[in-house]
Amino acid sequence: LSLRIPGWCRKGTLAIAGKPVDLASVLVDGYARIEREWAPGDAVDLDLDMAVERIHAHPEVRQDVGRIALQRGPLVYTLEGVDNPISLNRIKVPDGTAFEARFEKDLLGGVTTLSATAEADATSDWNGDLYRTEKPKTESARIKAVPYYAWDNRAPGEMLVWLRGG
């Protein structure tokens, strides 16, 4: 039996008939290759970790310099205005930001969303000015991302894949 272990999977667990198998020891060319004498009722349990990762674009992609995209397993995520009450370009995701993945069965037919506390450039102290010499202050901002394939299915508004990192 050969089970594909995708490139996005950084770690996983494998058990056969309830007994753990060292996944690295059976990995051949991207597949977990299992050779054994099978018995009735043998079950194979493969769990592929789908950690939230920051994706960086090549430095020559000028529109994405200093920005990150969020990926969980094979899925890229996006922020939408409908879930995030502030302008999306104000948001910055500092290094080390922890994301919570949560399945929401009543959202978009059932999707796993990503939530975190990030930062946003504050606007409250600009007093109507468009430009100034001092750097903007930041404030805490809760953000929520949905899988990219599911965006633009609720309300018109902005969306952003490539977020400011830091």
Side-chain angles (χ1 to χ4, degrees):
L1 176 65
S2 293
L3 303 170
R4 179 76 177 116
I5 309 299
W8 53 258
C9 182
R10 308 288 177 242
K11 66 180 181 178
T13 59
L14 175 65
I16 301 172
K19 294 181 182 163
V21 174
D22 177 25
L23 191 55
S25 71
V26 296
L27 203 57
V28 178
D29 295 327
Y31 288 84
R33 185 152 173 83
I34 304 164
E35 295 183 34
R36 63 177 272 140
E37 209 47 54
W38 295 95
D42 277 355
V44 176
D45 292 307
L46 176 64
D47 183 30
L48 303 177
D49 184 44
M50 291 178 55
V52 178
E53 296 182 313
R54 296 163 162 256
I55 303 301
H56 302 269
H58 187 282
E60 294 295 332
V61 181
R62 69 175 181 245
Q63 291 85 352
D64 298 330
V65 170
R67 292 184 176 256
I68 57 141
L70 302 174
Q71 181 173 323
R72 180 177 176 268
L75 300 177
V76 172
Y77 278 70
T78 184
L79 272 63
E80 288 190 275
V82 68
D83 297 314
N84 300 281
I86 62 172
S87 173
L88 301 182
N89 277 302
R90 288 177 44 206
I91 295 170
K92 179 180 179 183
V93 182
D95 292 340
T97 299
F99 283 87
E100 175 192 354
R102 186 167 68 97
F103 182 73
E104 296 189 40
K105 68 177 182 159
D106 295 328
L107 180 64
L108 298 164
V111 296
T112 297
T113 61
L114 304 179
S115 298
T117 299
E119 294 177 354
D121 291 337
T123 59
S124 59
D125 64 341
W126 279 73
N127 302 320
D129 295 332
L130 292 178
Y131 306 97
R132 68 181 189 193
T133 56
E134 66 184 271
K135 190 176 180 179
K137 293 179 176 133
T138 60
E139 58 193 14
S140 178
R142 285 294 295 168
I143 61 172
K144 180 177 179 176
V146 297
Y148 179 80
Y149 73 82
W151 78 276
D152 201 24
N153 283 290
R154 293 174 285 164
E158 68 177 324
M159 91 55 131
L160 190 62
V161 173
W162 291 95
L163 310 168
R164 294 181 346 184

